[in-house]
Amino acid sequence: MRKIVILASGNGSNAEQIIKYFFYHEFITVAAVFSNKADAFVLKRAEKYGIPHTVFSRDDLYRTNRVQRLLADISPDLIVLAGFLWLIPKDLIGLYPNRIINIHPALLPKYGGKGMYGDRVHKAVIDNREEESGITIHYVNEKYDAGDIIHQEKCRVTAEDTPETLAGKIHKIEHEAYPQIIESVIMGG
Ligand code: GRF
């Protein structure tokens, strides 16, 4: 079995779609969900599907290498960021070259970078009167939202859109696309 570890900080709707998609998959399994927030709803979702889950601290990731050791125990084929808000440290990227991916709720390179997450992204898109937005799935490097792009999909932004309605459109595209792209990255690599 090829193994995925999901890193998520919050609600985890993407994580749940990924868990569901691979639940009965022949070759790929979600081995664990890691979160940096003890009260993140993603942990409840992992529990619902019986997926092992772990909470880690800033020190665990940036100082003591606990996260790196937990990952080494699993030996994942792909690390999937799904609403994970901390920067992935360089050493971790070096350990998993081209094996860490992220999803961003806009058409990178626009509307990315530090502090650009959640409704802040959608608000900026609307404030700039963009006519389209979308999703970007990309490899993770040492900068926020700057790694090589794997896949993008667009949606229209209308004058009636609010950050909430735009987020809804984008989540719908994300939920459909992310599991499939994960599958093709793993099976292709
Ligand atoms: C998604 O929109 C994703 O693009 C971004 O964070 C959001 C996470 O949403 N990186 P959820 O927690 O999966 O519902």
Side-chain angles (χ1 to χ4, degrees):
M1 271 290 188
R2 309 279 179 95
K3 286 174 277 182
I4 296 169
V5 170
I6 299 175
L7 266 60
S9 302
N11 180 26
S13 70
N14 277 284
E16 181 160 355
Q17 291 303 313
I18 297 163
I19 290 168
K20 273 163 65 178
Y21 187 89
F22 292 108
F23 205 73
Y24 295 111
H25 199 283
E26 227 185 318
F27 308 113
I28 300 171
T29 186
V30 176
V33 171
F34 290 3
S35 182
N36 59 316
K37 280 226 162 11
D39 60 351
F41 192 62
V42 70
L43 296 166
K44 298 254 178 313
R45 298 190 197 255
E47 206 158 304
K48 180 167 126 195
Y49 293 90
I51 308 289
H53 45 84
T54 304
V55 176
F56 64 87
S57 68
R58 204 165 260 287
D59 271 4
D60 290 338
L61 181 63
Y62 298 111
R63 277 169 39 100
T64 67
N65 285 354
R66 177 174 163 246
V67 172
Q68 289 79 337
R69 284 198 301 279
L70 289 168
L71 285 169
D73 286 345
I74 297 171
S75 185
D77 295 276
L78 196 68
I79 298 171
V80 170
L81 312 189
F84 182 66
L85 296 181
W86 290 354
L87 195 64
I88 299 297
K90 227 182 176 152
D91 66 304
L92 193 47
I93 292 163
L95 287 168
Y96 298 92
N98 277 348
R99 287 197 287 141
I100 310 178
I101 68 172
N102 181 42
I103 189 162
H104 186 78
L107 297 172
L108 293 174
K110 285 172 132 181
Y111 305 106
K114 194 167 162 53
M116 269 298 194
Y117 60 86
D119 280 353
R120 295 186 189 191
V121 176
H122 308 308
K123 191 175 179 308
V125 167
I126 289 169
D127 287 350
N128 281 348
R129 299 181 196 284
E130 296 281 0
E131 290 183 349
E132 58 181 25
S133 188
I135 69 158
T136 304
I137 297 168
H138 64 92
Y139 289 108
V140 170
N141 68 12
E142 65 285 351
K143 296 196 195 108
Y144 279 109
D145 305 322
D148 289 347
I149 291 172
I150 303 167
H151 178 81
Q152 291 190 303
E153 263 175 64
K154 292 176 179 174
C155 68
R156 298 224 60 80
V157 183
T158 66
E160 291 76 42
D161 268 321
T162 62
E164 291 71 31
T165 62
L166 185 54
K169 286 184 194 174
I170 285 179
H171 261 118
K172 206 158 168 269
I173 306 172
E174 291 185 327
H175 293 165
E176 183 88 18
Y178 208 14
Q180 294 183 34
I181 298 298
I182 291 167
E183 185 177 36
S184 72
V185 168
I186 294 177
M187 298 317 285

